[in-house]
Amino acid sequence: MDALVIHAPGDLRVEDIPTPAVGAGELRVRVRTGGICGSDLHYYQHGGVGTIRIQQPMVLGHEVAGVIEALGAGVTGWSIGERVAVNPSRPCGVCRFCQRGLQNHCLDMRYYGSAMRMPHVQGTFRQEMVIQAGQAHRLADGVSDAEGAMAEPLAVALHAVNRAGALLGRKVLVTGCGPIGAMVVIAARRVGAIRIVATDVMAQPLRKVATLGADETIDVAGQPNALARYGAEKGQFDVLFECSGNQHALRAAFDVVRPRGVVVQVGLSGSEFTLPFNTVVAKEFDLRGAFRFHEEFGVAVTLINQALVNLKPLVSATLPFRDAGRAFALAADRSQSMKVLLSFD
Amino acid sequence: MDALVIHAPGDLRVEDIPTPAVGAGELRVRVRTGGICGSDLHYYQHGGVGTIRIQQPMVLGHEVAGVIEALGAGVTGWSIGERVAVNPSRPCGVCRFCQRGLQNHCLDMRYYGSAMRMPHVQGTFRQEMVIQAGQAHRLADGVSDAEGAMAEPLAVALHAVNRAGALLGRKVLVTGCGPIGAMVVIAARRVGAIRIVATDVMAQPLRKVATLGADETIDVAGQPNALARYGAEKGQFDVLFECSGNQHALRAAFDVVRPRGVVVQVGLSGSEFTLPFNTVVAKEFDLRGAFRFHEEFGVAVTLINQALVNLKPLVSATLPFRDAGRAFALAADRSQSMKVLLSFD
Amino acid sequence: MDALVIHAPGDLRVEDIPTPAVGAGELRVRVRTGGICGSDLHYYQHGGVGTIRIQQPMVLGHEVAGVIEALGAGVTGWSIGERVAVNPSRPCGVCRFCQRGLQNHCLDMRYYGSAMRMPHVQGTFRQEMVIQAGQAHRLADGVSDAEGAMAEPLAVALHAVNRAGALLGRKVLVTGCGPIGAMVVIAARRVGAIRIVATDVMAQPLRKVATLGADETIDVAGQPNALARYGAEKGQFDVLFECSGNQHALRAAFDVVRPRGVVVQVGLSGSEFTLPFNTVVAKEFDLRGAFRFHEEFGVAVTLINQALVNLKPLVSATLPFRDAGRAFALAADRSQSMKVLLSFD
Amino acid sequence: MDALVIHAPGDLRVEDIPTPAVGAGELRVRVRTGGICGSDLHYYQHGGVGTIRIQQPMVLGHEVAGVIEALGAGVTGWSIGERVAVNPSRPCGVCRFCQRGLQNHCLDMRYYGSAMRMPHVQGTFRQEMVIQAGQAHRLADGVSDAEGAMAEPLAVALHAVNRAGALLGRKVLVTGCGPIGAMVVIAARRVGAIRIVATDVMAQPLRKVATLGADETIDVAGQPNALARYGAEKGQFDVLFECSGNQHALRAAFDVVRPRGVVVQVGLSGSEFTLPFNTVVAKEFDLRGAFRFHEEFGVAVTLINQALVNLKPLVSATLPFRDAGRAFALAADRSQSMKVLLSFD
């Protein structure tokens, strides 16, 4: 079968790789749709982010939906032909973090399409893959493969929302409206936030999130002072989701989040942040990192299956995986696209 | 009566100021002992810290114990001659933060000896003061005035500990062993931490905290790599109390605090912090500011009264308030002193 | 003006009472719609519930919407003719509970239409009332008076949901589908529960909640064993909202709520509960009472104003207040009605 | 080797049982000291408690300290002759509760000396036992075997304290002063409670806990109204630990625990509880069960090793295990004994 293999920045090749055998407890899945994530883009454009760098050829991808085409020995509850979203997270289950319910911090994590360890963990931009049966989550009739492939970024957004605690009645600021920020807007609305303000430096993603649940959008490039009115009485927002990975977004938000407000940092950055940390002290922020997810993957699929969220408007385009160069270029252009999908049919 | 009034950096004068009348619900207190806090030192040395600057003459001081010498109309439950610690925090009680139990974020706070508002709130380095009866907390027989004056910094340390949540069974790192850091060590031991490691860049405060409950002390100037062994398995500390206000201490701790660890930032700094914020994301720290206190003042006095903590070893010297220049110089010399007190008798 | 005054069980009279003067900071409101609450019914049918008994004539009612008809001195931000929901909760603001953000436990609470204190606090089933300006919450255009009057029971439901913590991805059981239980179903759906099962002993309220967000309804009178399948693996529900005040509902739920599950007791009962408390120990339930609300009133009005919840299907009938006997009889008949409203025009 | 085997109520025999082989990753421990727990007493006196009944012969015991006498293949970090406390809790590690950090709710728990499952899990009142290496916790020099054997009940008490959240500055009521209640007193003092009131119906245990950290003791049999003064302002206690398993203790406490107070139910009972549940609603208690422990076992051993708690005063007597009848009779007599130990030398 064919797969999309990154060799170096800009060097992404369609290569023939062997189809693995299906072992006991496993499923073989014919991949149908995969989403291009920001981390895929970083590997493609820069060879990685921060200290995480490609050191050997690696199949990209970790957002994926497909069809079961073979069952390993002892697998029950599944049938050939069923459509599934695949959870790309494979914690070890036995380390001290797994035994505390913190599987996203597993000491021996094998996350698809990640260069964090050597050898790298190969990804899902391929025509066929073999998974543990527990990684498969059934898609309901009427749910598209595209939606199934977006369960993974939705899980990231849900995890960020879970890190913030209950949002019922809360006023929420979301900085950065890429796919994760947009899904945080959707999720914050889903869980009862009563005011959602979203910011970005570009108009296109702001127009999109205005249709997804944001009550107000602010172009901080064009309206640099528009946030200021939320600074009254030490800050009007209860919760910030910082999804841009840009220190300027975080700094600006320090003025408009209230004392004891919650700041969830979701976005990763290519550089360090310089911040007025006395504000963290004096306003006693609860500043929490959010990284990947665990149980939220299943929740994401359920929300999609039950139509409790609608991710379809996020899809900008679906291109054949053999046209990956064009797809990655489109995904990198925030003025045109939110989420770009690859078709593996 | 006389008071210690700061006019400009280095310009601290003994001046005669009027004794206020005792109104209904108030007590007049003859001040006996006052502690020199880091913020008093900053006013004295630099005229303030960050954007908080002396703009008019101000009586310094907010750590204070004394004796009741007059009762206002309607005051019950108090007698002349009783010894008290005085809570310097006076929130308004009615703003949106006070009504949520977040009095330390009061929109109209009047904290003694603070230049945060104009006109400044005059402090407690004075021979007599008038307070609301509710600010007084009775000192038990056998508790010294010095201990009473240290209820305020202990309350700051207790608040920091409360911000961290339950510490029973936790492994704790304390960076910076000034008076607040030292009291955090005492408090962390009091609430059941099972390992307490303290760091500083000087030997003297480390020797002191080694006698106050720290299981291990590390001179990070002399042993820059000594912390590294705590970096195993993504970090061994459950909780960090950053009490130095030094970004290098916080950066170094990022490597040794475990994923989902709690980082309580207590120390204020004269400059911004530059930090590898991707670590906050990837390790999902809970980073919480800790600022002043509210209900912890009463708890501090009770712990002192019941001998559940012992603050006496923290006192480096007690000098007459008329000798303030020498006292402030001594307080500023970390190689010699932990807490320096002024006597107002 | 006229008001509905309860004198004894079954003795509810329309009486002329004086219109109070509008003081500084107050608003006079012409009442338009009031909802009949379970507690109103208890006063009417039994003279009260438990130890809370009518000891003097009392105007009933605490769910109310109306129109501003006069402004007291110093009131800003309001105009005559504006439509408002009125918060019936009036905590003192200064007691130890108010100062902790626990205003619903105020030591000097004055809640409309309650016989908890002597003299009783008169209620809102009247043509005109005078309130503190802070009790008024503006209703958006297009929101009916009926919806405004239901902000109070919605606030009760939201408070119960807040007591449970974040519900995103949780499986929820609601026992008892009166107006509060029905609104808990609505609220649980609003905040991201992924499965909501509702039980009752009657078919009519179950049919109603099936249209409001419940994924499954169980008539525990007709299908006494239908819940049992949720007992697998020590229990499948993460959270129970017990809204019936019936000990049998709570006992049955003990088998289907998972270890460390959250049990929110909302319903009050006329008698004590006998329970297998060893189950609370062995399954380590978090069993939490939920009583009234505080900040949730404003949240309720905002959710209604923004159409984030839809309460209109709950209204069974609206009758003139002069026809109170028929209205109360209808409200008491669960086979016919969910929420019965009184019109005061 | 010999073991103490219960066959029926009152029928406890010394019997010869085979010594198991030491497998890979295992340790063989020569048992030196075992503590008699309330559950051992229930098996001995009544054949069990509630629905948990002896259905086949079972070795009693689960509080145990001993000496390593053999190492299985692959065991590192241990030497023959080392003294250890043995954690009797053996969760499966893979079920949905283990993977959430809730190992005490494991779906396949094997807890020593428990009749909860068939076949029963044999206990530790025996001369030799084989354990997983991870169950062993090293005892420090100077720590007695008796203290080591009490790590288990201390872990139960620590778990109860953890269930309550941070106790710094809290006012705590402990009802029931058997060994668990007494250790809760010790633990509550260890974590910074500022007032601890303990109640019981007998004088002897109250005299004991008065020496262990309780600020006040109340004999509720002799002074039935002595608690009443804590009912002021809706209740003065922040936290209750109900360790008696007696509904009267819990009922009485409802009047003296403040609104939003935490009630931790630790004690198991032979019968159901009848309670005024409207109080749970109106005061919004957080009522939490506490059952066994998980990570607290290691914390217990560390606290003992570091002399951060002192359990030695709890030991009433140590008898040879061959004299079990007399030992169990003594353990059952609360007027004479707190904790009775068996010697297996």
PDB file of all heavy atoms in Angstrom, chain C residues 319-339:
ATOM      1  N   LEU C 319     -53.266  30.718  34.080  1.00  0.00           N
ATOM      2  CA  LEU C 319     -54.615  31.077  34.543  1.00  0.00           C
ATOM      3  C   LEU C 319     -54.574  32.406  35.284  1.00  0.00           C
ATOM      4  O   LEU C 319     -53.548  32.775  35.851  1.00  0.00           O
ATOM      5  CB  LEU C 319     -55.148  30.003  35.505  1.00  0.00           C
ATOM      6  CG  LEU C 319     -55.656  28.707  34.854  1.00  0.00           C
ATOM      7  CD1 LEU C 319     -54.513  27.773  34.525  1.00  0.00           C
ATOM      8  CD2 LEU C 319     -56.678  28.025  35.772  1.00  0.00           C
ATOM      9  N   PRO C 320     -55.719  33.109  35.321  1.00  0.00           N
ATOM     10  CA  PRO C 320     -55.762  34.358  36.086  1.00  0.00           C
ATOM     11  C   PRO C 320     -55.542  34.081  37.572  1.00  0.00           C
ATOM     12  O   PRO C 320     -56.002  33.065  38.090  1.00  0.00           O
ATOM     13  CB  PRO C 320     -57.187  34.877  35.847  1.00  0.00           C
ATOM     14  CG  PRO C 320     -57.716  34.102  34.694  1.00  0.00           C
ATOM     15  CD  PRO C 320     -56.995  32.804  34.655  1.00  0.00           C
ATOM     16  N   PHE C 321     -54.835  34.990  38.240  1.00  0.00           N
ATOM     17  CA  PHE C 321     -54.534  34.734  39.656  1.00  0.00           C
ATOM     18  C   PHE C 321     -55.809  34.690  40.489  1.00  0.00           C
ATOM     19  O   PHE C 321     -55.827  34.082  41.555  1.00  0.00           O
ATOM     20  CB  PHE C 321     -53.535  35.759  40.201  1.00  0.00           C
ATOM     21  CG  PHE C 321     -54.107  37.095  40.586  1.00  0.00           C
ATOM     22  CD1 PHE C 321     -54.350  37.395  41.912  1.00  0.00           C
ATOM     23  CD2 PHE C 321     -54.384  38.057  39.629  1.00  0.00           C
ATOM     24  CE1 PHE C 321     -54.872  38.635  42.275  1.00  0.00           C
ATOM     25  CE2 PHE C 321     -54.896  39.287  39.986  1.00  0.00           C
ATOM     26  CZ  PHE C 321     -55.149  39.587  41.312  1.00  0.00           C
ATOM     27  N   ARG C 322     -56.879  35.310  39.997  1.00  0.00           N
ATOM     28  CA  ARG C 322     -58.126  35.268  40.760  1.00  0.00           C
ATOM     29  C   ARG C 322     -58.767  33.884  40.695  1.00  0.00           C
ATOM     30  O   ARG C 322     -59.698  33.588  41.442  1.00  0.00           O
ATOM     31  CB  ARG C 322     -59.098  36.326  40.227  1.00  0.00           C
ATOM     32  CG  ARG C 322     -58.550  37.738  40.427  1.00  0.00           C
ATOM     33  CD  ARG C 322     -59.485  38.834  39.979  1.00  0.00           C
ATOM     34  NE  ARG C 322     -58.777  40.122  39.924  1.00  0.00           N
ATOM     35  CZ  ARG C 322     -58.483  40.855  41.008  1.00  0.00           C
ATOM     36  NH1 ARG C 322     -58.863  40.453  42.201  1.00  0.00           N
ATOM     37  NH2 ARG C 322     -57.803  41.982  40.891  1.00  0.00           N
ATOM     38  N   ASP C 323     -58.211  33.061  39.818  1.00  0.00           N
ATOM     39  CA  ASP C 323     -58.702  31.689  39.671  1.00  0.00           C
ATOM     40  C   ASP C 323     -57.679  30.712  40.297  1.00  0.00           C
ATOM     41  O   ASP C 323     -57.433  29.616  39.775  1.00  0.00           O
ATOM     42  CB  ASP C 323     -58.857  31.406  38.167  1.00  0.00           C
ATOM     43  CG  ASP C 323     -59.919  30.356  37.884  1.00  0.00           C
ATOM     44  OD1 ASP C 323     -60.546  29.865  38.852  1.00  0.00           O
ATOM     45  OD2 ASP C 323     -60.080  30.014  36.701  1.00  0.00           O
ATOM     46  N   ALA C 324     -57.094  31.143  41.422  1.00  0.00           N
ATOM     47  CA  ALA C 324     -55.959  30.418  41.991  1.00  0.00           C
ATOM     48  C   ALA C 324     -56.312  28.993  42.396  1.00  0.00           C
ATOM     49  O   ALA C 324     -55.511  28.066  42.253  1.00  0.00           O
ATOM     50  CB  ALA C 324     -55.408  31.176  43.203  1.00  0.00           C
ATOM     51  N   GLY C 325     -57.512  28.807  42.910  1.00  0.00           N
ATOM     52  CA  GLY C 325     -57.881  27.460  43.362  1.00  0.00           C
ATOM     53  C   GLY C 325     -57.765  26.456  42.225  1.00  0.00           C
ATOM     54  O   GLY C 325     -57.175  25.382  42.392  1.00  0.00           O
ATOM     55  N   ARG C 326     -58.296  26.826  41.069  1.00  0.00           N
ATOM     56  CA  ARG C 326     -58.233  25.931  39.925  1.00  0.00           C
ATOM     57  C   ARG C 326     -56.785  25.763  39.455  1.00  0.00           C
ATOM     58  O   ARG C 326     -56.350  24.657  39.128  1.00  0.00           O
ATOM     59  CB  ARG C 326     -59.093  26.498  38.780  1.00  0.00           C
ATOM     60  CG  ARG C 326     -59.399  25.476  37.691  1.00  0.00           C
ATOM     61  CD  ARG C 326     -60.639  25.885  36.879  1.00  0.00           C
ATOM     62  NE  ARG C 326     -60.450  27.132  36.175  1.00  0.00           N
ATOM     63  CZ  ARG C 326     -59.941  27.261  34.922  1.00  0.00           C
ATOM     64  NH1 ARG C 326     -59.586  26.180  34.245  1.00  0.00           N
ATOM     65  NH2 ARG C 326     -59.816  28.446  34.373  1.00  0.00           N
ATOM     66  N   ALA C 327     -56.036  26.848  39.500  1.00  0.00           N
ATOM     67  CA  ALA C 327     -54.636  26.781  39.071  1.00  0.00           C
ATOM     68  C   ALA C 327     -53.833  25.855  39.975  1.00  0.00           C
ATOM     69  O   ALA C 327     -53.037  25.032  39.509  1.00  0.00           O
ATOM     70  CB  ALA C 327     -54.020  28.187  39.067  1.00  0.00           C
ATOM     71  N   PHE C 328     -54.052  25.986  41.288  1.00  0.00           N
ATOM     72  CA  PHE C 328     -53.296  25.125  42.209  1.00  0.00           C
ATOM     73  C   PHE C 328     -53.708  23.666  42.050  1.00  0.00           C
ATOM     74  O   PHE C 328     -52.874  22.762  42.149  1.00  0.00           O
ATOM     75  CB  PHE C 328     -53.486  25.600  43.662  1.00  0.00           C
ATOM     76  CG  PHE C 328     -52.514  26.687  44.056  1.00  0.00           C
ATOM     77  CD1 PHE C 328     -52.565  27.949  43.479  1.00  0.00           C
ATOM     78  CD2 PHE C 328     -51.506  26.443  44.987  1.00  0.00           C
ATOM     79  CE1 PHE C 328     -51.660  28.944  43.825  1.00  0.00           C
ATOM     80  CE2 PHE C 328     -50.591  27.431  45.344  1.00  0.00           C
ATOM     81  CZ  PHE C 328     -50.676  28.693  44.765  1.00  0.00           C
ATOM     82  N   ALA C 329     -54.971  23.424  41.826  1.00  0.00           N
ATOM     83  CA  ALA C 329     -55.409  22.035  41.623  1.00  0.00           C
ATOM     84  C   ALA C 329     -54.758  21.450  40.375  1.00  0.00           C
ATOM     85  O   ALA C 329     -54.296  20.303  40.362  1.00  0.00           O
ATOM     86  CB  ALA C 329     -56.941  21.982  41.500  1.00  0.00           C
ATOM     87  N   LEU C 330     -54.697  22.269  39.346  1.00  0.00           N
ATOM     88  CA  LEU C 330     -54.065  21.807  38.116  1.00  0.00           C
ATOM     89  C   LEU C 330     -52.569  21.554  38.326  1.00  0.00           C
ATOM     90  O   LEU C 330     -52.014  20.544  37.889  1.00  0.00           O
ATOM     91  CB  LEU C 330     -54.289  22.849  37.012  1.00  0.00           C
ATOM     92  CG  LEU C 330     -53.792  22.485  35.614  1.00  0.00           C
ATOM     93  CD1 LEU C 330     -54.510  21.242  35.083  1.00  0.00           C
ATOM     94  CD2 LEU C 330     -53.997  23.674  34.653  1.00  0.00           C
ATOM     95  N   ALA C 331     -51.921  22.471  39.033  1.00  0.00           N
ATOM     96  CA  ALA C 331     -50.479  22.318  39.282  1.00  0.00           C
ATOM     97  C   ALA C 331     -50.198  21.053  40.076  1.00  0.00           C
ATOM     98  O   ALA C 331     -49.133  20.438  39.942  1.00  0.00           O
ATOM     99  CB  ALA C 331     -49.939  23.543  40.024  1.00  0.00           C
ATOM    100  N   ALA C 332     -51.163  20.665  40.930  1.00  0.00           N
ATOM    101  CA  ALA C 332     -50.950  19.489  41.778  1.00  0.00           C
ATOM    102  C   ALA C 332     -51.168  18.183  41.021  1.00  0.00           C
ATOM    103  O   ALA C 332     -50.815  17.112  41.521  1.00  0.00           O
ATOM    104  CB  ALA C 332     -51.887  19.550  42.986  1.00  0.00           C
ATOM    105  N   ASP C 333     -51.739  18.269  39.854  1.00  0.00           N
ATOM    106  CA  ASP C 333     -52.066  17.059  39.089  1.00  0.00           C
ATOM    107  C   ASP C 333     -50.957  16.773  38.080  1.00  0.00           C
ATOM    108  O   ASP C 333     -50.943  17.313  36.977  1.00  0.00           O
ATOM    109  CB  ASP C 333     -53.412  17.266  38.378  1.00  0.00           C
ATOM    110  CG  ASP C 333     -53.813  16.011  37.594  1.00  0.00           C
ATOM    111  OD1 ASP C 333     -53.016  15.025  37.548  1.00  0.00           O
ATOM    112  OD2 ASP C 333     -54.915  16.021  37.030  1.00  0.00           O
ATOM    113  N   ARG C 334     -50.022  15.906  38.464  1.00  0.00           N
ATOM    114  CA  ARG C 334     -48.857  15.642  37.623  1.00  0.00           C
ATOM    115  C   ARG C 334     -49.235  14.902  36.337  1.00  0.00           C
ATOM    116  O   ARG C 334     -48.436  14.861  35.396  1.00  0.00           O
ATOM    117  CB  ARG C 334     -47.797  14.839  38.384  1.00  0.00           C
ATOM    118  CG  ARG C 334     -47.298  15.566  39.625  1.00  0.00           C
ATOM    119  CD  ARG C 334     -46.104  14.839  40.228  1.00  0.00           C
ATOM    120  NE  ARG C 334     -44.968  14.910  39.343  1.00  0.00           N
ATOM    121  CZ  ARG C 334     -44.196  13.886  39.019  1.00  0.00           C
ATOM    122  NH1 ARG C 334     -44.459  12.679  39.506  1.00  0.00           N
ATOM    123  NH2 ARG C 334     -43.186  14.025  38.198  1.00  0.00           N
ATOM    124  N   SER C 335     -50.438  14.301  36.301  1.00  0.00           N
ATOM    125  CA  SER C 335     -50.825  13.621  35.071  1.00  0.00           C
ATOM    126  C   SER C 335     -51.224  14.631  33.999  1.00  0.00           C
ATOM    127  O   SER C 335     -51.342  14.296  32.828  1.00  0.00           O
ATOM    128  CB  SER C 335     -51.990  12.664  35.333  1.00  0.00           C
ATOM    129  OG  SER C 335     -53.186  13.395  35.500  1.00  0.00           O
ATOM    130  N   GLN C 336     -51.454  15.881  34.418  1.00  0.00           N
ATOM    131  CA  GLN C 336     -51.886  16.883  33.450  1.00  0.00           C
ATOM    132  C   GLN C 336     -50.878  17.998  33.231  1.00  0.00           C
ATOM    133  O   GLN C 336     -50.827  18.580  32.151  1.00  0.00           O
ATOM    134  CB  GLN C 336     -53.186  17.553  33.943  1.00  0.00           C
ATOM    135  CG  GLN C 336     -54.408  16.692  33.839  1.00  0.00           C
ATOM    136  CD  GLN C 336     -55.652  17.551  33.995  1.00  0.00           C
ATOM    137  OE1 GLN C 336     -55.970  18.399  33.159  1.00  0.00           O
ATOM    138  NE2 GLN C 336     -56.337  17.343  35.103  1.00  0.00           N
ATOM    139  N   SER C 337     -50.091  18.303  34.270  1.00  0.00           N
ATOM    140  CA  SER C 337     -49.350  19.551  34.137  1.00  0.00           C
ATOM    141  C   SER C 337     -47.918  19.449  34.612  1.00  0.00           C
ATOM    142  O   SER C 337     -47.584  18.651  35.479  1.00  0.00           O
ATOM    143  CB  SER C 337     -50.064  20.651  34.920  1.00  0.00           C
ATOM    144  OG  SER C 337     -50.215  20.250  36.262  1.00  0.00           O
ATOM    145  N   MET C 338     -47.102  20.256  34.000  1.00  0.00           N
ATOM    146  CA  MET C 338     -45.705  20.428  34.404  1.00  0.00           C
ATOM    147  C   MET C 338     -45.632  21.740  35.181  1.00  0.00           C
ATOM    148  O   MET C 338     -45.632  21.753  36.382  1.00  0.00           O
ATOM    149  CB  MET C 338     -44.825  20.439  33.148  1.00  0.00           C
ATOM    150  CG  MET C 338     -43.356  20.614  33.369  1.00  0.00           C
ATOM    151  SD  MET C 338     -42.551  19.299  34.323  1.00  0.00           S
ATOM    152  CE  MET C 338     -42.323  18.011  33.095  1.00  0.00           C
ATOM    153  N   LYS C 339     -45.608  22.867  34.497  1.00  0.00           N
ATOM    154  CA  LYS C 339     -45.542  24.164  35.177  1.00  0.00           C
ATOM    155  C   LYS C 339     -46.826  24.937  34.892  1.00  0.00           C
ATOM    156  O   LYS C 339     -47.196  25.147  33.740  1.00  0.00           O
ATOM    157  CB  LYS C 339     -44.329  24.958  34.688  1.00  0.00           C
ATOM    158  CG  LYS C 339     -44.196  26.374  35.211  1.00  0.00           C
ATOM    159  CD  LYS C 339     -44.104  26.477  36.730  1.00  0.00           C
ATOM    160  CE  LYS C 339     -42.767  26.020  37.269  1.00  0.00           C
ATOM    161  NZ  LYS C 339     -42.708  26.141  38.763  1.00  0.00           N
TER     162      LYS C 339
END
